[in-house]
Amino acid sequence: VMVGEQAAGVLAQVKRDTGTLSAEQEDAFKQPIVAKYEHEGHPYYASARLWDDGVLRPQDTRRTLALALKATSRTAGDETKFGVFRM
């Protein structure tokens, strides 16, 4: 996982190494990448697109975790033949 400045630096380095980016063009190239990372890195951005289950307020963490554990403890669960799915 990279922050915007790091990602922009890596992409700029690749372009510099291939000879398609001059030192003068580097800042102009990096600025939109950093801006995009800042905008799309906000927790509400991901939640609005249903990429996660939402944002919890810190004071709600224990109650939400207790509710989730209580809900999962009521079922035995089915036997599966596949591994863990990761996103």
Side-chain angles (χ1 to χ4, degrees):
V1 176
M2 290 189 224
V3 295
E5 188 63 42
Q6 203 174 15
V10 170
L11 292 172
Q13 179 69 42
V14 169
K15 283 187 116 10
R16 259 188 276 122
D17 290 350
T18 60
T20 59
L21 184 69
S22 69
E24 297 81 31
Q25 297 169 319
E26 186 172 335
D27 283 338
F29 174 77
K30 288 167 69 172
Q31 192 277 329
I33 297 168
V34 173
K36 183 176 181 177
Y37 266 71
E38 288 297 318
H39 176 70
E40 293 182 6
H42 194 279
Y44 292 150
Y45 185 89
S47 292
R49 284 148 186 83
L50 304 177
W51 295 344
D52 58 28
D53 294 327
V55 179
L56 289 176
R57 296 182 316 165
Q59 59 266 35
D60 295 337
T61 304
R62 286 180 192 237
R63 185 176 54 79
T64 304
L65 181 59
L67 181 63
L69 291 173
K70 186 175 181 180
T72 58
S73 69
R74 294 181 179 206
T75 62
D78 297 331
E79 188 68 32
T80 62
K81 295 182 179 172
F82 50 82
V84 176
F85 292 104
R86 303 280 313 238
M87 289 179 49

